[in-house]
Amino acid sequence: MPSARTSRRTDDSRPSKTTRIAGKLECAAQAQLLAQKRIPLATKHNNVNGTVATTCKKISLPRTLPRPVLGEVDLSSLAYAHPSLSGVPAEYIREHLPSTTHDMRAACKAVQTSIPKSTLPKELEILMNDVVAAACPTHMLAVFNDAPLSFGQKRQVSLFPVHDLVLRVHCTNLPTLPLSQPSTSSSHATVPVIPLRLPSPETFPLLHAYLYTRDSASLLASLRPSCDADMVQLAMHASRIHGLWRNACALGVIDEQLYNVLQTLWSSTLGAMQACS
């Protein structure tokens, strides 16, 4: 079933193009400045006799993760896709949304589908069951990165069922989301496939879960390294934290708590790496 395309409307509450560009430039300038204030960390390895030696190789990491300067989400697009929310402040929706997303999260986890091996389709069918029908996802994100491929290598794409309300109310930098109201009256539902290029596809599941729940405790637990982690493990944790931060910046996620959690994790991980070096 073909998908209707979202018409463009103007809304005085949406930041102007000039404001958005200025905000991105400010964020880029801040990132460049902070990148110069980096912590050099020497790595360690175990000698044959069991002693620990410090190698000459060093890892240089920024002290802080700069926060993107963001405007508000596109309220006209949000109201067009969800007319019942017209006039409701996006901040209010974000604050109260987690209390209504239990069925949405369950539906996302229950979705069964497969991606064709040849080309990415514009639509996909998902198998309908009682759990999915209770809060059927509206779109399927096809997440990938733009890392260069070697000859004959295929691009890795991961599928994530989502509800457009969750994305529209949290993210200022979304690709165009066509209107989608999948029918739940048959054994299958057809949803649009949205290609989404992100810096760190492997950490998107963490961001996907957080946008539905805003559960900072779970996010902290999933990214906090163990007390006995070595330098290699700590570096892996730092990479995941940084990847999640890059995804949030790329999507323009509006959530002060998220950036607070990421900075807390980043600082504690850097501290552990310094103690280990």
Side-chain angles (χ1 to χ4, degrees):
M1 147 176 97
S3 303
R5 295 189 176 276
T6 305
S7 62
R8 304 296 297 175
R9 298 185 178 183
T10 58
D11 192 300
D12 292 339
S13 60
R14 185 184 181 187
S16 67
K17 182 178 181 180
T18 301
T19 300
R20 296 197 302 274
I21 292 176
K24 292 180 180 179
L25 289 176
E26 182 179 344
C27 181
Q30 184 183 15
Q32 184 177 6
L33 177 63
L34 291 173
Q36 298 170 1
K37 303 177 180 179
R38 307 175 79 87
I39 300 176
L41 300 166
T43 59
K44 291 181 177 180
H45 68 272
N46 291 324
N47 288 332
V48 177
N49 61 7
T51 61
V52 177
T54 302
T55 68
C56 295
K57 185 178 180 181
K58 291 187 177 182
I59 304 172
S60 182
L61 299 174
R63 294 179 182 273
T64 60
L65 299 178
R67 305 186 182 200
V69 181
L70 304 170
E72 188 49 271
V73 297
D74 185 352
L75 295 178
S76 62
S77 175
L78 177 63
Y80 184 67
H82 300 275
S84 62
L85 297 177
S86 179
V88 180
E91 184 177 359
Y92 180 87
I93 302 173
R94 283 192 293 270
E95 182 180 348
H96 291 83
L97 189 60
S99 63
T100 66
T101 56
H102 178 271
D103 288 345
M104 292 183 184
R105 284 281 292 150
C108 286
K109 293 179 180 179
V111 164
Q112 297 181 24
T113 190
S114 60
I115 188 169
K117 296 182 179 180
S118 54
T119 58
L120 191 66
K122 293 184 177 180
E123 295 179 331
L124 275 177
E125 283 191 344
I126 58 178
L127 182 65
M128 193 59 59
N129 54 45
D130 292 341
V131 178
V132 176
C136 186
T138 59
H139 297 75
M140 187 73 68
L141 295 184
V143 178
F144 62 98
N145 64 21
D146 55 359
L149 299 177
S150 58
F151 180 76
Q153 185 180 9
K154 293 185 178 181
R155 181 74 63 189
Q156 296 295 317
V157 178
S158 300
L159 296 178
F160 295 92
V162 295
H163 298 80
D164 73 316
L165 174 58
V166 175
L167 295 181
R168 292 181 193 274
V169 79
H170 282 107
C171 306
T172 61
N173 298 330
L174 282 177
T176 300
L177 297 179
L179 290 181
S180 174
Q181 297 177 334
S183 172
T184 59
S185 59
S186 61
S187 60
H188 292 78
T190 303
V191 297
V193 176
I194 310 299
L196 181 63
R197 182 173 60 189
L198 287 176
S200 177
E202 61 275 13
T203 63
F204 182 71
L206 293 172
L207 183 59
H208 180 272
Y210 179 83
L211 293 180
Y212 278 81
T213 65
R214 298 193 70 217
D215 187 347
S216 58
S218 293
L219 186 60
L220 278 166
S222 64
L223 287 173
R224 181 181 288 120
S226 61
C227 297
D228 58 350
D230 59 23
M231 181 62 83
V232 174
Q233 293 170 323
L234 290 171
M236 291 176 61
H237 277 284
S239 178
R240 294 181 69 204
I241 296 166
H242 193 261
L244 180 52
W245 168 77
R246 292 179 67 198
N247 285 345
C249 291
L251 287 172
V253 174
I254 300 177
D255 193 298
E256 190 72 13
Q257 177 181 257
L258 172 62
Y259 297 107
N260 288 338
V261 169
L262 290 176
Q263 183 57 55
T264 297
L265 287 163
W266 186 252
S267 297
S268 62
T269 302
L270 290 189
M273 293 177 77
Q274 283 185 296
C276 190
S277 62

